[in-house]
Structure formats: structure tokens, C-alpha cells
Amino acid sequence: MEQQQERRRGGDGVAVIKDAKYSDLTITLTGCDASFRVHKIYLAMASPVLEEMIDSLPPLRQNHLLLHEDAPSEAFHWLMRFVHRTDPPMESSRLALKVACLVGKYRVKELYPACLKWLEDILKKGTLLEVYNAAYLLRNSLLVTKCLQMLLTCAEEVLSSQQVCCLTEDALRHLLKQHLYVQSEAVILNAVLAWGRAQLRQQQGACGEELHQKIKHVLPHVRLLTLSTEEIVRWLVPSGVYSAEESQAILMHRTQTDGAPPLPETCSSLLTKRRCLDSYPMSRVRLPEATVSRGLLRPVLPLLLPGEAPPAQERVLVSGLRVDAAVVLQRVECRGVALREVRAAVRDATGRTLYTSAMAEAGEEGFDVPVALDPSKACIVTATLVHGEDCCFEAVHSFSVKAAGVLFTGEQHCLLPDGCDLYFWRLDHCLGVDL
């Protein structure tokens, strides 16, 4: 990180922290067993939260403030140096993340612009939830929205990582209310269980009633009834979060069995899986159609005899499909040619297939797994074609077309007389967060 310039020359804040001359308050951090000798007036001027805490100190403890703070002492020390009239250098991205969380928690408004710049520079998949947590504490809607846009393209990978454990409870609850595209709610459940165990400092050992108490305010945001019976038995029951009787009730509601006992209070009654972008208007991009000007094209199908049914053949529609902004493909449509068994495979920069998705023949409901693309991913779309009167042609044709401000590039392998349409959501048009 670039070093900041001194806000007020002389380094007097560093000296105050080191020798504590004339200090009138000791702050002790319980989470890391560290203490700081500071000055009330500086804290009160910088932070309304700390000012209120100081004003609320009992008469017999007016010079000692106990903070239940898990942030590392280095981050709190950095903040205290800033509060005491200096701009210390920001030495690492990790420190910047921790300081940003403290700035949001204690509402040190003077540091908000600097924190947002740090977080923008740090934001990537490996720090996504950490930046989200800091942005939520800073109550910055634009940065939270940017995190959510990125998360839609890698939700399963990020939620399955240790990043989830950095979230505050409020930030986690807020996150679970947003658009999260996962193949199964088991990803959400396991993220919540991992978060709860981390809060209890027992990654593997915490279970049962203790774990339930820790995550009871988060559990209602997990759509447990959308889990399969196998997933409930594999993940939920062994966690011990619910008793045997409660787990049985959840299973009975999952299968909509008559006479099922009431659900536990912390269990959501939602039966619908997460698919939240449907309420937003879609955009469409038209891929080029087959024309004579493109040279001699080879028909995919031979000429048919009268009354002969055309055969169905699997063909590559598009390969190497890339975008320059985050989008989610909803469906593919071709006029004059019926599509069956449409499949999309999303690949990373190395060509490794991350996941595949299928689309029903009618196509109205779109892909069963969201085809989330960003500039780091590519997609290949294949389909079984059932041809109409017009023929389609085989040709590898590179294309570059723009729609809704998104540039689509790739290669078409089947050129159709009326072209091919991709329907998509542009994520920054779909997501907006109020904090």
C-alpha cells in the first residue's frame, strides 16, 4: 500500500501513544489482550461511537475503557495513531482490511474516503467477503453492490472458503438476503455452520445447542426445505443444530407429509430455491446470422427426401464466449431451428471446466444453473439441433457484438439464417443495495 502523507507534521501522535504523557484513558482489548494509553479528547473528536462509550463510563472506571475487540492489536494501534493526529503508513492489504473494519465499527468518518480506496484496490475473489464485511460496516452501498456483482459469478467457491468466517453476524444476515446463485442450499448451510463454529473458536468441535444458539438469528435465512433428503441427512442432522424430533419435522415438511409437526422457530418455511434475478428485465444480444457474403458455407444436414424426418445432431453453437462485464446468461434462442438439450460449460482462464448448465427444450425458464460470466471466464454452448425448413451452416466465425454496454466476443460454429439470441442480465443493472 502507498504510504500516506503526514496529516499534521511533527509525529506528535506517535509520541503520545509511545510515552502516554498526559494520557487520561486506558483502552484494553479483550480479544487480543492489549492495552493502549490514549487521550479522551482525541477519541471523542474522531469517533462518535467512542465518545458515547467514554461518556457512559461509570464514575469509578472513568479512566479505563474495556473493548470486546477481536481485531489484531496492530490494526487498533494504527487507528489510534491516526486519531492522535498522524497519518501512519499503511503497510499491507491485510492491515488495511482490519483497519477498515474498525473505521466502520467506530464511525471514524475522516478515514472513510481512504478506506474505500484501499478496499477498491484490494477487492478480488480471494478477499471478496472480507471487503464485503468492511464495506457493510462502512455502510457503502456502491462497494457492497460491487462485491455482490462479483459474488454472483463465484458464490459457491467463495462461500465454501474460510472467508465466510470473517463476517460479522449482521453482515452475514445481510448477505444471505441477497441474490446468491448456488446449485444447492447446502452451500449456504455449510457456510453458516462454518461461521458459527468459528465464532465459538471450535472449528470442528462445536455442535448441538451451543452451535444453535450462536447461529439462531442466521438460520432463518437458510432455505432448509429446499435441501434434498440426502443433504439434510448428510449435513444438517450430524451438525446437531436441531434435535432428532426437529430434524424429523423438517424432513416431513420437506416431503410435504401430512400431519407433520410444526417446524422449529429458526427454520425457514420457504420451499422455493434461490433464483432471484427473474424479476428484473433482461437484455438481448443478437449473434450474427448466416449470409452468402461470408463465403461458401457447408450445410450441416444433407438434403432430405419428401416426408423424411430431419435427424437431430449435437452441435457447438458458440465457443470461447467472453464478456467484458459481469453478466448472467438466462437462455439461448434460435428462430427457424428447434434446440434440444442445450448445455453451457463455464471455464476458467486455464480452460478448466468450473460447472455445466442445461436448458429445457422450451427455453422459457432458461438454464437450470445460472451461467454467470465475468472477464476471467469463458463459455461454450452446445445444443442438439432439430432443423426446420431453413438450413443452418457449419462455419467457425469470430464475432464481436455489444449490447446493454457489454461486449461479447467468441466464435460461432453453427451459423443460422435468422441468427442466435442470448438473453442475459447485466449484474450492475440488476443489483442495488440500500444500507
Side-chain angles (χ1 to χ4, degrees), residues 119-293:
L119 296 174
E120 287 273 3
D121 293 341
I122 292 168
L123 179 58
K124 56 185 178 181
K125 185 163 47 177
T127 59
L128 203 162
L129 291 186
E130 293 174 286
V131 173
Y132 178 91
N133 188 63
Y136 178 81
L137 289 170
L138 291 167
R139 293 296 189 268
N140 187 274
S141 298
L142 290 177
L143 187 52
V144 168
T145 298
K146 188 171 183 178
C147 291
L148 290 172
Q149 291 167 3
M150 183 181 292
L151 188 62
L152 276 181
T153 66
C154 55
E156 294 206 2
E157 180 181 351
V158 171
L159 290 172
S160 299
S161 72
Q162 287 299 308
Q163 285 189 63
V164 73
C165 301
C166 79
L167 296 170
T168 65
E169 182 176 311
D170 286 345
L172 178 58
R173 290 166 62 188
H174 182 268
L175 177 66
L176 297 187
K177 295 177 184 177
Q178 308 307 315
H179 304 293
L180 297 175
Y181 269 176
V182 292
Q183 294 190 53
S184 168
E185 194 73 8
V187 174
I188 306 294
L189 172 62
N190 284 324
V192 169
L193 293 175
W195 178 86
R197 289 170 181 146
Q199 306 312 302
L200 293 171
R201 311 282 188 181
Q202 299 176 23
Q203 293 276 358
Q204 303 297 326
C207 61
E209 180 61 25
E210 185 182 22
L211 183 55
H212 182 272
Q213 287 301 314
K214 180 55 66 176
I215 64 175
K216 67 180 180 181
H217 298 301
V218 182
L219 276 172
H221 301 289
V222 184
R223 304 183 184 189
L224 294 177
L225 298 187
T226 67
L227 295 169
S228 68
T229 300
E230 179 182 352
E231 288 170 334
I232 291 174
V233 172
R234 182 180 180 184
W235 302 114
L236 184 62
V237 175
S239 73
V241 169
Y242 293 108
S243 67
E245 293 76 14
E246 290 172 328
S247 297
Q248 182 66 28
I250 292 171
L251 281 167
M252 292 177 72
H253 280 270
R254 165 67 182 82
T255 56
Q256 299 184 344
T257 304
D258 292 337
L263 284 170
E265 289 185 4
T266 56
C267 180
S268 169
S269 60
L270 288 175
L271 288 165
T272 54
K273 292 186 176 182
R274 295 176 185 267
R275 189 179 179 86
C276 306
L277 288 176
D278 298 349
S279 59
Y280 292 94
M282 278 183 292
S283 299
R284 182 189 68 174
V285 60
R286 168 71 62 86
L287 302 188
E289 67 275 4
T291 62
V292 177
S293 63

Side-chain angles (χ1 to χ4, degrees), residues 16 24 49 58 61 121 182 230 251-252 257 324 351 387 434:
V16 166
D24 55 2
V49 175
R61 292 184 59 86
D121 293 341
V182 292
E230 179 182 352
L251 281 167
M252 292 177 72
T257 304
D324 66 348
H387 303 276
D434 254 342

